[in-house]
Amino acid sequence: MLRLIAIAAMFAGLAPAQQEPVVIRDTGPLSSPESLQYPALHPIHIPKPTIVTLSNGLKIYLLEDHELPIVRGSMLVRTGNLFDPKDKRGLATLTGITMRSGGAAGMAGDQLNDTLESMAASVETSIAESTGTVRFHCLKENTDAVLGIMHDVVTAPAFRQDKIDLARLQLKSSISRRNDDAAGIASREIYRLVYGPDTPYGGQEEYATVDAVTRADIVAFYQRYFFPANILMSVYGDFSIPEMQKKLETLFGSWTVTQPKVPAFPKVELKPNPGIFFVEKTDINQTFFQMGELGGEIRDKDYAALSVAADVLGSGFSSRLLREVRTRLGYAYDISADWDADFDHPGMFAISGSTKAQSTTETIDATIQQIDKMRTAEITDQELKTAKDTALNSIVFEFERPSSTLSRLVTYDYFGYPEDFLARYQQAVAEVTKADVLRVAKQHFRPELLTIVAVGNEANFDRPLTTLSRPVKMLDVSIAPEPRSSQ
């Protein structure tokens, strides 16, 4: 202990001589945590990036930051697994993996790994539901070399067959393990049931669909979506904007590939799928459950009020679900609610949790009761304040760095949102009233339309799920066997 005190004293002696003293004022005893007073949050400063469009149609956001000798950037490509053919689900995922792992025309993927590792740099590619992404990160001194590698990966990927075979094997391995985790089953199946298992949003890869993807399919998918006018690029870090613009024009300006405009992503079918869907899993002593229904888009006029309503219901330790289902009743350790809107299609109003098997039905029943209460009376002043503060605080901390705010600006552009959307959302949250919360809860929190997925051991349930007065269906999550003549 004496050694620690000596070390502390030594560092204290290094403090500046003119350091201002810390003044602690006694404001009297606190009656409750809610009586704490905090200063207003600083406003979010939206960076002003330089936006240029190269001669080939590639749009680029450039933002300098000289705090660290680092340069990073990304490309958003208008593509996604929503464009997968139904009988070749997995095509976009395999394209995203092998675009990088397969290397470029002049260098194999393993050689790229060694080269990038020697520079402590990275170039990565992936394709998700409605975005393709290419990212790079490097020290300032290696910017030219890493940008060159990124250029080669984006404009001339080799898609070597051995890497396609490896990626296929990895994807099929994930299919074989997808029923190992009970919570994962509930999360996956609620999504499939709410959106429809035969739709682009609810479909999933199977052994047969992954095996059906050929190298020619991957090359064709890449060629259809990876062209300059279909990409938004951003570069952030320690560089000069005029110099970077010149570098990118020299590097990418000769990439003149063109394709017809990419079509819109598929529409979501607005069709409720109410009921309880049960998955029997006898090797667990807990029940994992998900409740959901289709929600809305981030651009919707009531998004701010719905976010606040969902926070009051199930976000944080002061939420109703935590206070009632977890603390008072002691049914669940983990339970939450979220109005998970998406940028370009209806998201999902989702409630997730877990409980011991013996309180499964009571927990689901108690959760539905809390949803009903949100629809019958206004929330309290304190609930409104806490939820709004939570929402506004999360915005500030999520966008405290210019890089994260730049990323959001590019995302807004990608999905067609105005560049001042963040400021509009802040203002909308600040203006939410108790009456707004009650109105949107009545309109959008619809217990009778909930899709409920429960994964557990029914033999240990407190009472049958049928006592909840909802149709109960057994859900088959078995994995179709792998075809014998796989590639």
Side-chain angles (χ1 to χ4, degrees):
M1 178 63 72
L2 290 175
R3 185 167 180 264
L4 291 176
I5 293 173
I7 294 173
M10 179 183 70
F11 279 100
L14 298 176
Q18 301 300 318
Q19 184 177 15
E20 294 186 7
V22 176
V23 179
I24 302 176
R25 295 181 174 86
D26 184 2
T27 58
L30 294 172
S31 59
S32 69
E34 288 76 15
S35 63
L36 288 169
Q37 298 295 317
Y38 299 98
L41 290 169
H42 296 297
I44 296 176
H45 297 290
I46 305 297
K48 293 294 183 183
T50 297
I51 305 174
V52 298
T53 301
L54 303 187
S55 55
N56 58 4
L58 178 62
K59 187 175 181 180
I60 305 173
Y61 285 69
L62 300 171
L63 183 63
E64 292 184 23
D65 184 348
H66 304 286
E67 182 178 359
L68 294 172
I70 292 174
V71 178
R72 66 191 71 184
S74 66
M75 289 181 169
L76 283 184
V77 185
R78 189 169 298 281
T79 186
N81 62 34
L82 293 175
F83 291 137
D84 279 358
K86 186 177 180 180
D87 61 345
K88 294 187 178 184
R89 283 180 176 142
L91 170 58
T93 300
L94 290 171
T95 304
I97 294 171
T98 57
M99 186 173 174
R100 167 64 178 83
S101 66
M107 189 180 293
D110 294 338
Q111 292 176 289
L112 286 180
N113 294 341
D114 293 340
T115 301
L116 290 167
E117 185 177 347
S118 69
M119 296 185 289
S122 67
V123 173
E124 302 297 337
T125 63
S126 63
I127 298 178
E129 183 178 77
S130 56
T131 52
T133 307
V134 184
R135 292 188 176 91
F136 79 90
H137 179 279
C138 66
L139 295 172
K140 176 182 180 179
E141 63 197 66
N142 298 321
T143 301
D144 290 354
V146 174
L147 279 175
I149 291 174
M150 182 187 191
H151 166 271
D152 293 347
V153 167
V154 172
T155 64
F159 296 116
R160 289 176 170 82
Q161 186 64 52
D162 63 326
K163 296 303 182 182
I164 293 174
D165 294 340
L166 178 60
R168 190 196 316 278
L169 183 63
Q170 292 169 336
L171 190 52
K172 288 162 67 174
S173 177
S174 68
I175 293 173
S176 72
R177 301 190 307 272
R178 71 185 179 202
N179 288 338
D180 293 351
D181 176 49
I185 295 173
S187 298
R188 181 188 74 230
E189 294 303 320
I190 188 70
Y191 201 84
R192 285 168 48 74
L193 289 165
V194 167
Y195 287 97
D198 293 325
T199 69
Y201 292 91
Q204 65 182 359
E205 297 95 349
E206 301 290 355
Y207 290 130
T209 65
V210 173
D211 275 337
V213 177
T214 66
R215 182 181 182 278
D217 295 325
I218 291 173
V219 171
F221 191 94
Y222 158 78
Q223 291 174 340
R224 176 63 185 93
Y225 299 108
F226 282 78
F227 58 98
N230 197 45
I231 296 174
L232 288 177
M233 185 176 185
S234 62
V235 184
Y236 168 81
D238 191 10
F239 58 83
S240 160
I241 286 178
E243 291 179 5
M244 180 60 69
Q245 181 177 346
K246 185 177 180 181
K247 286 179 191 292
L248 295 175
E249 180 68 61
T250 301
L251 195 60
F252 287 98
S254 59
W255 186 33
T256 56
V257 173
T258 60
Q259 286 284 1
K261 184 178 179 179
V262 172
F265 292 116
K267 295 290 186 182
V268 172
E269 299 176 13
L270 302 177
K271 183 179 179 181
N273 191 10
I276 300 175
F277 299 83
F278 176 63
V279 178
E280 181 74 38
K281 193 166 176 60
T282 59
D283 60 343
I284 57 175
N285 54 21
Q286 285 186 293
T287 299
F288 296 85
F289 62 88
Q290 294 270 348
M291 305 180 186
E293 61 172 317
L294 280 175
E297 296 185 20
I298 292 175
R299 72 179 88 236
D300 293 344
K301 63 180 179 63
D302 284 330
Y303 173 56
L306 285 161
S307 296
V308 170
D311 279 355
V312 172
L313 177 62
S315 178
F317 287 101
S318 63
S319 69
R320 294 187 175 188
L321 289 177
L322 264 291
R323 293 200 318 263
E324 180 68 15
V325 180
R326 172 182 163 169
T327 304
R328 192 182 76 81
L329 296 174
Y331 287 159
Y333 177 78
D334 175 32
I335 188 166
S336 62
D338 184 28
W339 186 262
D340 189 17
D342 277 305
F343 280 103
D344 62 339
H345 67 270
M348 189 164 63
F349 170 46
I351 299 170
S352 62
S354 61
T355 182
K356 59 183 183 293
Q358 292 79 4
S359 57
T360 296
T361 306
E362 289 296 341
T363 302
I364 294 174
D365 194 15
T367 301
I368 294 172
Q369 290 179 34
Q370 290 304 311
I371 300 173
D372 271 324
K373 288 181 179 179
M374 291 289 300
R375 297 163 42 85
T376 57
E378 288 188 351
I379 62 176
T380 68
D381 291 336
Q382 185 58 51
E383 285 178 319
L384 179 67
K385 181 180 184 305
T386 299
K388 289 170 66 171
D389 286 348
T390 299
L392 292 171
N393 290 351
S394 67
I395 296 172
V396 172
F397 289 112
E398 286 178 10
F399 302 106
E400 62 180 339
R401 295 193 62 82
S403 57
S404 56
T405 309
L406 175 65
S407 175
R408 184 54 64 100
L409 288 176
V410 176
T411 301
Y412 288 156
D413 190 353
Y414 181 87
F415 287 108
Y417 282 65
E419 64 179 26
D420 65 341
F421 180 81
L422 180 59
R424 295 186 189 185
Y425 175 65
Q426 279 185 292
Q427 183 65 30
V429 171
E431 294 175 353
V432 171
T433 66
K434 294 188 295 184
D436 291 330
V437 172
L438 180 59
R439 173 179 57 81
V440 298
K442 285 182 176 180
Q443 183 177 351
H444 297 281
F445 292 5
R446 300 170 294 180
E448 74 281 1
L449 298 182
L450 282 175
T451 301
I452 302 172
V453 176
V455 182
N457 187 352
E458 188 176 22
N460 295 328
F461 286 3
D462 47 336
R463 55 188 173 93
L465 291 171
T466 52
T467 61
L468 293 172
S469 302
R470 295 166 185 261
V472 179
K473 303 175 186 176
M474 294 294 295
L475 197 59
D476 181 10
V477 297
S478 60
I479 303 169
E482 184 173 1
R484 291 185 179 181
S485 57
S486 62
Q487 295 184 18

PDB file of all heavy atoms in Angstrom, residues 16-39:
ATOM      1  N   PRO A  16       0.636  20.076 -13.524  1.00  0.00           N
ATOM      2  CA  PRO A  16       1.004  21.472 -13.773  1.00  0.00           C
ATOM      3  C   PRO A  16       0.834  22.317 -12.521  1.00  0.00           C
ATOM      4  O   PRO A  16      -0.128  22.166 -11.766  1.00  0.00           O
ATOM      5  CB  PRO A  16       0.010  21.902 -14.876  1.00  0.00           C
ATOM      6  CG  PRO A  16      -0.434  20.618 -15.510  1.00  0.00           C
ATOM      7  CD  PRO A  16      -0.398  19.602 -14.431  1.00  0.00           C
ATOM      8  N   ALA A  17       1.751  23.237 -12.323  1.00  0.00           N
ATOM      9  CA  ALA A  17       1.724  24.047 -11.107  1.00  0.00           C
ATOM     10  C   ALA A  17       0.504  24.951 -11.046  1.00  0.00           C
ATOM     11  O   ALA A  17       0.015  25.281  -9.969  1.00  0.00           O
ATOM     12  CB  ALA A  17       3.010  24.870 -11.020  1.00  0.00           C
ATOM     13  N   GLN A  18      -0.006  25.376 -12.207  1.00  0.00           N
ATOM     14  CA  GLN A  18      -1.117  26.317 -12.231  1.00  0.00           C
ATOM     15  C   GLN A  18      -2.469  25.617 -12.393  1.00  0.00           C
ATOM     16  O   GLN A  18      -3.438  26.233 -12.808  1.00  0.00           O
ATOM     17  CB  GLN A  18      -0.913  27.319 -13.390  1.00  0.00           C
ATOM     18  CG  GLN A  18       0.374  28.119 -13.286  1.00  0.00           C
ATOM     19  CD  GLN A  18       0.431  28.936 -12.005  1.00  0.00           C
ATOM     20  OE1 GLN A  18      -0.559  29.535 -11.602  1.00  0.00           O
ATOM     21  NE2 GLN A  18       1.596  28.956 -11.364  1.00  0.00           N
ATOM     22  N   GLN A  19      -2.523  24.320 -12.106  1.00  0.00           N
ATOM     23  CA  GLN A  19      -3.773  23.585 -12.280  1.00  0.00           C
ATOM     24  C   GLN A  19      -4.861  24.188 -11.397  1.00  0.00           C
ATOM     25  O   GLN A  19      -4.645  24.460 -10.218  1.00  0.00           O
ATOM     26  CB  GLN A  19      -3.572  22.119 -11.900  1.00  0.00           C
ATOM     27  CG  GLN A  19      -4.806  21.259 -12.151  1.00  0.00           C
ATOM     28  CD  GLN A  19      -4.510  19.809 -11.834  1.00  0.00           C
ATOM     29  OE1 GLN A  19      -3.511  19.509 -11.192  1.00  0.00           O
ATOM     30  NE2 GLN A  19      -5.353  18.918 -12.278  1.00  0.00           N
ATOM     31  N   GLU A  20      -6.040  24.415 -11.972  1.00  0.00           N
ATOM     32  CA  GLU A  20      -7.135  25.006 -11.212  1.00  0.00           C
ATOM     33  C   GLU A  20      -7.657  24.013 -10.182  1.00  0.00           C
ATOM     34  O   GLU A  20      -7.783  22.825 -10.464  1.00  0.00           O
ATOM     35  CB  GLU A  20      -8.265  25.421 -12.158  1.00  0.00           C
ATOM     36  CG  GLU A  20      -7.869  26.548 -13.103  1.00  0.00           C
ATOM     37  CD  GLU A  20      -9.059  27.025 -13.903  1.00  0.00           C
ATOM     38  OE1 GLU A  20     -10.186  26.572 -13.607  1.00  0.00           O
ATOM     39  OE2 GLU A  20      -8.864  27.847 -14.796  1.00  0.00           O
ATOM     40  N   PRO A  21      -7.974  24.488  -8.967  1.00  0.00           N
ATOM     41  CA  PRO A  21      -8.475  23.584  -7.944  1.00  0.00           C
ATOM     42  C   PRO A  21      -9.879  23.090  -8.266  1.00  0.00           C
ATOM     43  O   PRO A  21     -10.655  23.774  -8.933  1.00  0.00           O
ATOM     44  CB  PRO A  21      -8.479  24.450  -6.680  1.00  0.00           C
ATOM     45  CG  PRO A  21      -8.644  25.855  -7.199  1.00  0.00           C
ATOM     46  CD  PRO A  21      -7.888  25.884  -8.499  1.00  0.00           C
ATOM     47  N   VAL A  22     -10.155  21.887  -7.821  1.00  0.00           N
ATOM     48  CA  VAL A  22     -11.489  21.318  -7.985  1.00  0.00           C
ATOM     49  C   VAL A  22     -12.349  21.783  -6.824  1.00  0.00           C
ATOM     50  O   VAL A  22     -11.988  21.591  -5.653  1.00  0.00           O
ATOM     51  CB  VAL A  22     -11.435  19.773  -8.014  1.00  0.00           C
ATOM     52  CG1 VAL A  22     -12.835  19.214  -8.092  1.00  0.00           C
ATOM     53  CG2 VAL A  22     -10.593  19.315  -9.184  1.00  0.00           C
ATOM     54  N   VAL A  23     -13.446  22.416  -7.109  1.00  0.00           N
ATOM     55  CA  VAL A  23     -14.327  22.941  -6.070  1.00  0.00           C
ATOM     56  C   VAL A  23     -15.537  22.024  -5.931  1.00  0.00           C
ATOM     57  O   VAL A  23     -16.260  21.776  -6.894  1.00  0.00           O
ATOM     58  CB  VAL A  23     -14.790  24.377  -6.408  1.00  0.00           C
ATOM     59  CG1 VAL A  23     -15.733  24.890  -5.328  1.00  0.00           C
ATOM     60  CG2 VAL A  23     -13.579  25.293  -6.549  1.00  0.00           C
ATOM     61  N   ILE A  24     -15.744  21.478  -4.748  1.00  0.00           N
ATOM     62  CA  ILE A  24     -16.890  20.621  -4.470  1.00  0.00           C
ATOM     63  C   ILE A  24     -17.833  21.378  -3.552  1.00  0.00           C
ATOM     64  O   ILE A  24     -17.461  21.794  -2.452  1.00  0.00           O
ATOM     65  CB  ILE A  24     -16.449  19.302  -3.803  1.00  0.00           C
ATOM     66  CG1 ILE A  24     -15.459  18.583  -4.712  1.00  0.00           C
ATOM     67  CG2 ILE A  24     -17.642  18.430  -3.478  1.00  0.00           C
ATOM     68  CD1 ILE A  24     -14.903  17.317  -4.095  1.00  0.00           C
ATOM     69  N   ARG A  25     -19.037  21.584  -4.016  1.00  0.00           N
ATOM     70  CA  ARG A  25     -20.009  22.353  -3.241  1.00  0.00           C
ATOM     71  C   ARG A  25     -21.011  21.406  -2.584  1.00  0.00           C
ATOM     72  O   ARG A  25     -21.523  20.490  -3.215  1.00  0.00           O
ATOM     73  CB  ARG A  25     -20.735  23.353  -4.137  1.00  0.00           C
ATOM     74  CG  ARG A  25     -19.810  24.434  -4.712  1.00  0.00           C
ATOM     75  CD  ARG A  25     -20.591  25.420  -5.563  1.00  0.00           C
ATOM     76  NE  ARG A  25     -19.762  26.522  -5.998  1.00  0.00           N
ATOM     77  CZ  ARG A  25     -19.005  26.470  -7.090  1.00  0.00           C
ATOM     78  NH1 ARG A  25     -18.985  25.391  -7.837  1.00  0.00           N
ATOM     79  NH2 ARG A  25     -18.269  27.507  -7.436  1.00  0.00           N
ATOM     80  N   ASP A  26     -21.290  21.662  -1.333  1.00  0.00           N
ATOM     81  CA  ASP A  26     -22.260  20.868  -0.591  1.00  0.00           C
ATOM     82  C   ASP A  26     -23.650  21.421  -0.877  1.00  0.00           C
ATOM     83  O   ASP A  26     -23.980  22.557  -0.510  1.00  0.00           O
ATOM     84  CB  ASP A  26     -21.956  20.954   0.904  1.00  0.00           C
ATOM     85  CG  ASP A  26     -22.891  20.056   1.717  1.00  0.00           C
ATOM     86  OD1 ASP A  26     -23.718  19.367   1.092  1.00  0.00           O
ATOM     87  OD2 ASP A  26     -22.775  20.059   2.957  1.00  0.00           O
ATOM     88  N   THR A  27     -24.433  20.617  -1.588  1.00  0.00           N
ATOM     89  CA  THR A  27     -25.791  21.056  -1.941  1.00  0.00           C
ATOM     90  C   THR A  27     -26.839  20.429  -1.049  1.00  0.00           C
ATOM     91  O   THR A  27     -28.031  20.491  -1.343  1.00  0.00           O
ATOM     92  CB  THR A  27     -26.092  20.701  -3.411  1.00  0.00           C
ATOM     93  OG1 THR A  27     -25.936  19.282  -3.575  1.00  0.00           O
ATOM     94  CG2 THR A  27     -25.155  21.433  -4.341  1.00  0.00           C
ATOM     95  N   GLY A  28     -26.394  19.797   0.050  1.00  0.00           N
ATOM     96  CA  GLY A  28     -27.354  19.192   0.956  1.00  0.00           C
ATOM     97  C   GLY A  28     -27.620  17.752   0.586  1.00  0.00           C
ATOM     98  O   GLY A  28     -27.180  17.248  -0.448  1.00  0.00           O
ATOM     99  N   PRO A  29     -28.350  17.038   1.434  1.00  0.00           N
ATOM    100  CA  PRO A  29     -28.635  15.623   1.186  1.00  0.00           C
ATOM    101  C   PRO A  29     -29.536  15.430  -0.024  1.00  0.00           C
ATOM    102  O   PRO A  29     -30.383  16.273  -0.338  1.00  0.00           O
ATOM    103  CB  PRO A  29     -29.330  15.180   2.476  1.00  0.00           C
ATOM    104  CG  PRO A  29     -29.925  16.447   3.030  1.00  0.00           C
ATOM    105  CD  PRO A  29     -28.962  17.529   2.679  1.00  0.00           C
ATOM    106  N   LEU A  30     -29.323  14.311  -0.735  1.00  0.00           N
ATOM    107  CA  LEU A  30     -30.143  13.966  -1.892  1.00  0.00           C
ATOM    108  C   LEU A  30     -31.318  13.116  -1.437  1.00  0.00           C
ATOM    109  O   LEU A  30     -31.151  12.147  -0.696  1.00  0.00           O
ATOM    110  CB  LEU A  30     -29.322  13.202  -2.931  1.00  0.00           C
ATOM    111  CG  LEU A  30     -28.196  13.987  -3.603  1.00  0.00           C
ATOM    112  CD1 LEU A  30     -27.361  13.043  -4.454  1.00  0.00           C
ATOM    113  CD2 LEU A  30     -28.746  15.109  -4.449  1.00  0.00           C
ATOM    114  N   SER A  31     -32.506  13.465  -1.876  1.00  0.00           N
ATOM    115  CA  SER A  31     -33.682  12.683  -1.502  1.00  0.00           C
ATOM    116  C   SER A  31     -33.800  11.409  -2.315  1.00  0.00           C
ATOM    117  O   SER A  31     -34.360  10.416  -1.864  1.00  0.00           O
ATOM    118  CB  SER A  31     -34.953  13.532  -1.684  1.00  0.00           C
ATOM    119  OG  SER A  31     -35.052  13.955  -3.043  1.00  0.00           O
ATOM    120  N   SER A  32     -33.271  11.420  -3.549  1.00  0.00           N
ATOM    121  CA  SER A  32     -33.330  10.249  -4.422  1.00  0.00           C
ATOM    122  C   SER A  32     -32.358  10.457  -5.567  1.00  0.00           C
ATOM    123  O   SER A  32     -31.926  11.590  -5.831  1.00  0.00           O
ATOM    124  CB  SER A  32     -34.749  10.068  -4.979  1.00  0.00           C
ATOM    125  OG  SER A  32     -35.058  11.106  -5.881  1.00  0.00           O
ATOM    126  N   PRO A  33     -31.988   9.372  -6.282  1.00  0.00           N
ATOM    127  CA  PRO A  33     -31.100   9.538  -7.450  1.00  0.00           C
ATOM    128  C   PRO A  33     -31.675  10.482  -8.487  1.00  0.00           C
ATOM    129  O   PRO A  33     -30.927  11.168  -9.198  1.00  0.00           O
ATOM    130  CB  PRO A  33     -30.973   8.104  -7.985  1.00  0.00           C
ATOM    131  CG  PRO A  33     -31.250   7.233  -6.806  1.00  0.00           C
ATOM    132  CD  PRO A  33     -32.275   7.962  -6.002  1.00  0.00           C
ATOM    133  N   GLU A  34     -33.022  10.513  -8.571  1.00  0.00           N
ATOM    134  CA  GLU A  34     -33.646  11.377  -9.579  1.00  0.00           C
ATOM    135  C   GLU A  34     -33.415  12.860  -9.308  1.00  0.00           C
ATOM    136  O   GLU A  34     -33.595  13.697 -10.187  1.00  0.00           O
ATOM    137  CB  GLU A  34     -35.153  11.094  -9.653  1.00  0.00           C
ATOM    138  CG  GLU A  34     -35.529   9.763 -10.293  1.00  0.00           C
ATOM    139  CD  GLU A  34     -35.289   8.587  -9.363  1.00  0.00           C
ATOM    140  OE1 GLU A  34     -35.105   8.817  -8.145  1.00  0.00           O
ATOM    141  OE2 GLU A  34     -35.273   7.442  -9.855  1.00  0.00           O
ATOM    142  N   SER A  35     -33.033  13.204  -8.068  1.00  0.00           N
ATOM    143  CA  SER A  35     -32.840  14.611  -7.732  1.00  0.00           C
ATOM    144  C   SER A  35     -31.478  15.142  -8.184  1.00  0.00           C
ATOM    145  O   SER A  35     -31.197  16.322  -8.061  1.00  0.00           O
ATOM    146  CB  SER A  35     -32.993  14.821  -6.224  1.00  0.00           C
ATOM    147  OG  SER A  35     -31.991  14.108  -5.517  1.00  0.00           O
ATOM    148  N   LEU A  36     -30.611  14.253  -8.678  1.00  0.00           N
ATOM    149  CA  LEU A  36     -29.331  14.708  -9.208  1.00  0.00           C
ATOM    150  C   LEU A  36     -29.546  15.634 -10.394  1.00  0.00           C
ATOM    151  O   LEU A  36     -30.390  15.375 -11.262  1.00  0.00           O
ATOM    152  CB  LEU A  36     -28.490  13.504  -9.641  1.00  0.00           C
ATOM    153  CG  LEU A  36     -27.898  12.636  -8.528  1.00  0.00           C
ATOM    154  CD1 LEU A  36     -27.326  11.357  -9.122  1.00  0.00           C
ATOM    155  CD2 LEU A  36     -26.809  13.393  -7.772  1.00  0.00           C
ATOM    156  N   GLN A  37     -28.781  16.691 -10.448  1.00  0.00           N
ATOM    157  CA  GLN A  37     -28.886  17.653 -11.532  1.00  0.00           C
ATOM    158  C   GLN A  37     -27.656  17.573 -12.418  1.00  0.00           C
ATOM    159  O   GLN A  37     -26.528  17.611 -11.926  1.00  0.00           O
ATOM    160  CB  GLN A  37     -29.032  19.068 -10.962  1.00  0.00           C
ATOM    161  CG  GLN A  37     -30.273  19.274 -10.114  1.00  0.00           C
ATOM    162  CD  GLN A  37     -31.547  19.127 -10.921  1.00  0.00           C
ATOM    163  OE1 GLN A  37     -31.641  19.642 -12.052  1.00  0.00           O
ATOM    164  NE2 GLN A  37     -32.530  18.438 -10.371  1.00  0.00           N
ATOM    165  N   TYR A  38     -27.869  17.460 -13.720  1.00  0.00           N
ATOM    166  CA  TYR A  38     -26.766  17.356 -14.671  1.00  0.00           C
ATOM    167  C   TYR A  38     -26.799  18.545 -15.622  1.00  0.00           C
ATOM    168  O   TYR A  38     -27.879  19.032 -15.980  1.00  0.00           O
ATOM    169  CB  TYR A  38     -26.869  16.064 -15.487  1.00  0.00           C
ATOM    170  CG  TYR A  38     -26.817  14.813 -14.654  1.00  0.00           C
ATOM    171  CD1 TYR A  38     -27.984  14.151 -14.279  1.00  0.00           C
ATOM    172  CD2 TYR A  38     -25.604  14.281 -14.241  1.00  0.00           C
ATOM    173  CE1 TYR A  38     -27.939  13.001 -13.514  1.00  0.00           C
ATOM    174  CE2 TYR A  38     -25.540  13.137 -13.482  1.00  0.00           C
ATOM    175  CZ  TYR A  38     -26.718  12.494 -13.120  1.00  0.00           C
ATOM    176  OH  TYR A  38     -26.657  11.363 -12.365  1.00  0.00           O
ATOM    177  N   PRO A  39     -25.641  18.998 -16.054  1.00  0.00           N
ATOM    178  CA  PRO A  39     -25.626  20.077 -17.043  1.00  0.00           C
ATOM    179  C   PRO A  39     -26.147  19.575 -18.385  1.00  0.00           C
ATOM    180  O   PRO A  39     -26.146  18.372 -18.657  1.00  0.00           O
ATOM    181  CB  PRO A  39     -24.142  20.446 -17.133  1.00  0.00           C
ATOM    182  CG  PRO A  39     -23.417  19.204 -16.720  1.00  0.00           C
ATOM    183  CD  PRO A  39     -24.278  18.564 -15.668  1.00  0.00           C
TER     184      PRO A  39
END
